[in-house]
Amino acid sequence: MPEKRHQVVIVGAGFGDLWAARSLRDSPVDVLLLDRNNYHTFFPLLYQVAAAELEPENIANPVRSILRNFKNVRFSMTEVRGLDPTGKVVETSGGSVPYDYLILATGSTTNYFGVPGAAQHSFPLRTLEEGIALRNHILGCFERAIHEPDSDRRGSLLTFVIVGGGPTGVEFAGALSELVQGPLKKDFPTLDVRQVRVMLLEASGGLLSVLPERLRRYAAKRVGRMRIEVRLEATVSSVSPEAVHLAGGDSIATETVVWTGGVRGDDQVASWGLPMGQGNRIAVQPTLQAPGFPETYVVGDLASLTEDGKPLPMVAPLAVQQGVAAARNIGRQISGKPLEPFRYRNLGTMAVIGRNAAVAHLFNRWAFTGFFAWVIWLGIHLFKLIGFRNRFLVVTGWAWDYVFFERVMRLILPTEGGDMRPR
Amino acid sequence: MPEKRHQVVIVGAGFGDLWAARSLRDSPVDVLLLDRNNYHTFFPLLYQVAAAELEPENIANPVRSILRNFKNVRFSMTEVRGLDPTGKVVETSGGSVPYDYLILATGSTTNYFGVPGAAQHSFPLRTLEEGIALRNHILGCFERAIHEPDSDRRGSLLTFVIVGGGPTGVEFAGALSELVQGPLKKDFPTLDVRQVRVMLLEASGGLLSVLPERLRRYAAKRVGRMRIEVRLEATVSSVSPEAVHLAGGDSIATETVVWTGGVRGDDQVASWGLPMGQGNRIAVQPTLQAPGFPETYVVGDLASLTEDGKPLPMVAPLAVQQGVAAARNIGRQISGKPLEPFRYRNLGTMAVIGRNAAVAHLFNRWAFTGFFAWVIWLGIHLFKLIGFRNRFLVVTGWAWDYVFFERVMRLILPTEGGDMRPR
């Protein structure tokens, strides 16, 4: 009679989840991965979808294809509705799923920090749906602007305010500026592109605060040259349908506020009876176990952990490393070995600012700027895009755009909750 | 003082509309093209989007890119809400648009022939949104089927009924069968694909009735080999959420009825005061003018015209030819020359039945089957895909799939009105 195999349930289809599943592929366990979507989103390139630079399909990969060669891993497309960490059962839209070990990596959502109107009137950029909705909205603004007789309203339609000067904010501002100055300028010959404003608001004193001084200076110079208006020490006090209001009284008339300002743990997790920390995240032990629930591991953005007194960042490489570490600790736990604490290996930070320009800080030691940094960025992102066919199509598409300065993704395609119809 | 130029308004962004605009590019007129979408859909390949074989972006092209080099042609993304053919004004969501000449080509919509429940419970396949919604639904059926314990319900989830044995029905049935036998078989290793039924219902005595006997025989043989169950002389009497019911009493339990059975003119046109003919279409004069309104031209699926006693088909090549003809007649009308009647040049009929197999009847004279017909089909469709970048990506994607038997478009992406969440 075969021994009963341990059941490991993984909740989510992000970086941490998939790498955890991969790491368990040769272990004597049965793995079930649950997610409400049947695809994995390559989040680091989501901003390019919002800027009509990549097709949504280029950064989404079917989970079943990714898992296909892992014989002990199954997938179920289902909505997780609850968790009983004591009884070890996950409640889903398809019924109850019992587990022996759980890896929780439902990721993060946008943090509006309680700014009034921000959640209602700004565009987040965390999911594929949100990326498509933002793209549709931006293209729709141009379509409406060209037959808007009132110049104030036209100005408001053509003002795009990005909140947050971290990598996502800077990268999206750069990509949007290139979209405007390139393809949209050609598409809307009757429109004066000088009327278009791309604004980047940052609450602190500088952009990309995680990077060293030299790279920050380069980025600031580059961003300035791309006609992006940067406002530092600009704190958003509220957002309305027609404007973003700043502390100090200023306000900017706009129909497009893109909120890249913060992240917090997935909302529904708070009701699951696990000990919650700051920012709606679970303060895990160094072994990645949830305090009090030794069979529950938490990885990725949802896990809050400090190392050498500093909180770990919410980035994809960390999630990958934690997914692998949690899988290994489950193996140790099953075979009765002592668990090992997680240590983050920081590979560095990068941001791309536009065509041929990026900043890269590798292993927190080597700093690169300009074209060479862009090539490194391109190489790493292509290498990491799961699925070789996607990589292949992304490269051919990019090569095309690079040679012909063209983007043909400027489609206002239907999406749920997207603002896409002309008013 | 420059002479006042005539204003030509074109309603729609289909084949007829774009070719009419192109034909007017050197005429002394100002052209304004109106459509509610900012893209042109390459309808002949829509069924491949629904079968997860092409990305929606591959068959959609931004209208502004297409029109970019035509200096006297402008585009406005707007919803047409009404028409006053006597006062010569188009009412749109962006205001009133006066015209001197009008080309109306709003196309067609699905004709359910009054079959009870058909409009509510079956999937049409006429627009990009509908193609995406159908793809999402089909993939969702598989996701639900694998954790459905009840075998009757599982059977119903895995039964796909296609109504209509014309080119769209046959092509979609073939593509769906290949999707099931190829990628989905690999994606769902625990599922027995023999449980999957792809059924094709045709009311008449044979598939592809427009083709000559030899091609019909070949198509029928090929379709049978692909595990498609064909039922001829099967008339649908009603459709419910759980089944399709046939005249004679039979019923088939299914959650997926794809309706390719018929087309009719766009609904809203009936309220515009133009003389309507059968099937909600406008019975135009041989010059393509609407009877009684010499400045209003109607082309494409919306125009109903007989030639040598036979009604002209509702196909893309006809729309292209009519768009060009209408543009030329407007030129003649402006310069006071006599108008010319339209004559259809039938280039032939083709249908692709699957990997490497098609039937082609060129110029109603030469008949081809098999691989050679498939190559002809591929060449013509690639040649006709507007936008070279799309053509290039479609070819690279196809080449990839061809070599690796893989399709990576199996994403259940969000769309308006699509049934995509697991229940």
Side-chain angles (χ1 to χ4, degrees), chain B residues 87-120:
Chain B
K88 296 204 273 186
V89 173
V90 180
E91 297 302 335
T92 77
S93 53
S96 302
V97 180
Y99 63 82
D100 298 309
Y101 296 95
L102 179 71
I103 298 178
L104 215 52
T106 56
S108 55
T109 184
T110 301
N111 194 349
Y112 298 101
F113 300 108
V115 171
Q120 295 78 47

Side-chain angles (χ1 to χ4, degrees), chain A residues 260-275:
Chain A
T260 71
V263 283
R264 49 184 269 123
D266 180 23
D267 276 330
Q268 60 168 349
V269 174
S271 63
W272 292 351
L274 295 167

Side-chain angles (χ1 to χ4, degrees), chain A residues 139-329:
Chain A
L139 297 173
C141 282
F142 279 87
E143 293 289 349
R144 285 152 58 203
I146 50 152
H147 46 75
E148 175 58 62
D150 181 275
S151 80
D152 282 353
R153 277 199 41 80
R154 197 166 57 241
S156 159
L157 282 167
L158 296 175
T159 299
F160 303 94
V161 179
I162 297 147
V163 179
T168 304
V170 170
E171 292 185 321
F172 180 63
L176 181 58
S177 170
E178 288 192 336
L179 174 71
V180 173
Q181 304 298 333
L184 291 189
K185 195 172 169 176
K186 287 195 240 170
D187 272 0
F188 296 89
T190 59
L191 191 87
D192 183 358
V193 286
R194 285 169 305 182
Q195 291 189 320
V196 180
R197 296 173 76 187
V198 176
M199 302 184 71
L200 186 58
L201 309 183
E202 164 60 35
S204 82
L207 301 177
L208 300 168
S209 56
V210 289
L211 291 178
E213 176 60 20
R214 182 167 84 84
L215 297 187
R216 292 217 306 274
R217 264 208 317 273
Y218 172 84
K221 208 174 70 188
R222 211 46 227 201
V223 161
R225 255 200 269 160
M226 297 180 81
R227 302 202 202 165
I228 297 165
E229 296 174 48
V230 179
R231 290 217 195 167
L232 302 176
E233 286 170 4
T235 308
V236 174
S237 60
S238 71
V239 183
S240 69
E242 299 89 26
V244 53
H245 305 279
L246 304 182
D250 258 19
S251 73
I252 304 156
T254 177
E255 299 211 0
T256 314
V257 179
V258 182
W259 195 274
T260 71
V263 283
R264 49 184 269 123
D266 180 23
D267 276 330
Q268 60 168 349
V269 174
S271 63
W272 292 351
L274 295 167
M276 302 301 293
Q278 261 204 325
N280 219 35
R281 298 161 73 199
I282 298 167
V284 294
Q285 296 175 319
T287 54
L288 302 176
Q289 289 163 304
F293 300 98
E295 290 86 11
T296 299
Y297 289 78
V298 185
V299 304
D301 284 3
L302 187 62
S304 158
L305 188 62
T306 56
E307 213 173 89
D308 308 329
K310 277 188 291 191
L312 290 176
M314 292 161 89
V315 294
L318 178 71
V320 168
Q321 294 174 27
Q322 288 188 333
V324 173
R328 290 203 183 132
N329 269 349

Side-chain angles (χ1 to χ4, degrees), chain A residues 38 55-57 64-65 68 76-77 129 143 146-147 187-188 388-389 400-401 408 410 412 414 421, chain B residues 38 55-57 64-65 68 76 129 143 146-147 187-188 388-389 400-401 406 408 410 412 414:
Chain A
N38 77 338
E55 296 169 15
E57 281 83 356
R64 292 187 181 278
S65 303
R68 190 184 282 164
S76 180
M77 184 173 118
E129 305 175 29
E143 293 289 349
I146 50 152
H147 46 75
D187 272 0
F188 296 89
F388 188 72
R389 184 182 185 281
W400 185 268
D401 294 342
V408 195
R410 298 187 301 287
I412 306 182
R421 294 279 170 227
Chain B
N38 78 338
E55 296 169 15
E57 281 83 358
R64 290 187 183 279
S65 304
R68 191 183 281 165
S76 180
E129 307 175 27
E143 293 290 347
I146 51 153
H147 45 75
D187 272 359
F188 296 89
F388 189 71
R389 184 182 186 281
W400 185 268
D401 294 342
E406 176 65 274
V408 196
R410 298 187 301 286
I412 306 183

Side-chain angles (χ1 to χ4, degrees), chain A residues 19-99:
Chain A
W19 281 86
R22 186 178 183 276
S23 303
L24 289 165
R25 71 187 186 282
D26 297 321
S27 300
V29 295
D30 286 323
V31 180
L32 177 62
L33 196 133
L34 309 173
D35 197 69
R36 67 198 184 93
N37 292 319
N38 77 338
Y39 54 87
H40 161 73
T41 307
F42 190 79
F43 177 73
L45 291 184
L46 180 61
Y47 79 93
Q48 295 206 0
V49 171
E53 205 160 2
L54 282 180
E55 296 169 15
E57 281 83 356
N58 290 144
I59 67 157
N61 242 297
V63 174
R64 292 187 181 278
S65 303
I66 299 171
L67 302 177
R68 190 184 282 164
N69 296 323
F70 309 156
K71 297 284 172 244
N72 62 334
V73 181
R74 285 175 309 129
F75 169 68
S76 180
M77 184 173 118
T78 188
E79 195 114 31
V80 171
R81 295 198 170 145
L83 173 70
D84 172 4
T86 311
K88 297 206 271 188
V89 173
V90 180
E91 297 301 336
T92 77
S93 54
S96 301
V97 180
Y99 63 84

